[in-house]
Amino acid sequence: IIRSFAEIGYKVQFKLLNAANYGTPQRRERVIFIGVRENLNVHYPDPTHSKDGGNLLSQKKWKTVKESIDDLKDQEENIEWNHIFTKHNSAFIKKLKNTPVGQSVFGFSDAFYRNAPDVPSRTVKENHGGVFVHYEKNRVMTPRELARLQSFSDDFIFKGSKSQILVQIGNAVPPLLGKAIGTTIAEILDEK
């Protein structure tokens, strides 16, 4: 990629960014490529958050799962707002009850994984409905809870079936990470 863009007059750099470092309550690492004309300098957004907080570049601690979704745990289902519950049979509820924080119902690494409340979540994936288990409730997280873990604002409404909504959420770039990258690209372009 870098060589191909260099041949047409662009310099391209890449860096591994963690969405948790930009205020997303999720440890989601992605390689981000930024390419510019040769007369511009590439740089990446400075982190606004860190695991421990308070270092020179970032003053805030990573946002946790509980900070992000705890107010939703006892709310009633609201389909229009994407707070849609999954219907579990009694056998599955029993499995959920026996799944401690930090483990998966079926032993998979991410599907049906019960996230710890006091850290950012693992990477939110669409997982064909095998989404995260709530840290306290014996149910999987709702699309609205997962959207919050992706840093979508509450006024963003997803359209489609529940399955389609889960795919949209899981495949999205976290908005706070996207905003940090977009702001940095705008700054780069203003430097010309």
Side-chain angles (χ1 to χ4, degrees):
I1 292 172
I2 293 170
R3 186 173 51 248
S4 296
F5 274 97
E7 290 172 3
I8 58 173
Y10 287 87
K11 60 181 166 186
V12 175
Q13 293 179 14
F14 62 91
K15 186 173 182 177
L16 182 67
L17 299 181
N18 184 343
N21 291 338
Y22 301 93
T24 300
Q26 174 189 173
R27 293 180 315 270
R28 185 184 193 101
E29 294 184 324
R30 294 294 182 261
V31 174
I32 304 299
F33 285 78
I34 295 180
V36 296
R37 293 186 309 270
E38 289 179 350
N39 63 326
L40 298 174
N41 294 313
V42 174
H43 59 274
Y44 285 83
D46 290 328
T48 57
H49 295 68
S50 65
K51 181 177 182 180
D52 300 317
N55 68 30
L56 293 176
L57 292 176
S58 60
Q59 299 303 314
K60 298 177 184 175
K61 287 184 79 166
W62 279 348
K63 195 169 182 186
T64 69
V65 171
K66 188 172 186 173
E67 286 177 282
S68 303
I69 67 169
D70 199 56
D71 64 311
L72 300 178
K73 68 184 178 188
D74 294 319
Q75 286 193 15
E76 293 182 17
E77 183 173 55
N78 184 335
I79 294 170
E80 292 76 30
W81 190 54
N82 306 132
H83 192 53
I84 307 166
F85 295 121
T86 299
K87 310 297 184 252
H88 302 303
N89 65 37
S90 59
F92 190 70
I93 291 172
K94 185 176 180 182
K95 288 180 182 184
L96 290 171
K97 286 179 182 178
N98 293 322
T99 303
V101 166
Q103 293 189 21
S104 172
V105 175
F106 299 111
F108 303 122
S109 62
D110 288 321
F112 299 105
Y113 176 84
R114 191 181 289 267
N115 265 305
D118 298 324
V119 294
S121 77
R122 289 181 166 197
T123 299
V124 173
K125 300 177 182 177
E126 59 91 6
N127 274 347
H128 308 289
V131 297
F132 294 139
V133 176
H134 195 278
Y135 53 89
E136 184 179 309
K137 300 293 184 177
N138 292 313
R139 61 170 175 79
V140 296
M141 290 185 189
T142 68
R144 178 53 51 199
E145 289 167 330
L146 294 167
R148 281 202 183 165
L149 296 182
Q150 277 279 59
S151 75
F152 280 97
S153 65
D154 283 346
D155 62 353
F156 191 96
I157 306 299
F158 297 87
K159 300 294 184 185
S161 68
K162 184 176 165 196
S163 294
Q164 292 168 330
I165 291 169
L166 291 174
V167 169
Q168 292 169 53
I169 293 169
N171 287 338
V173 172
L176 290 178
L177 176 59
K179 180 180 180 182
I181 295 166
T183 299
T184 298
I185 291 171
E187 291 168 359
I188 292 169
L189 295 175
D190 283 344
E191 292 172 4
K192 57 183 176 168

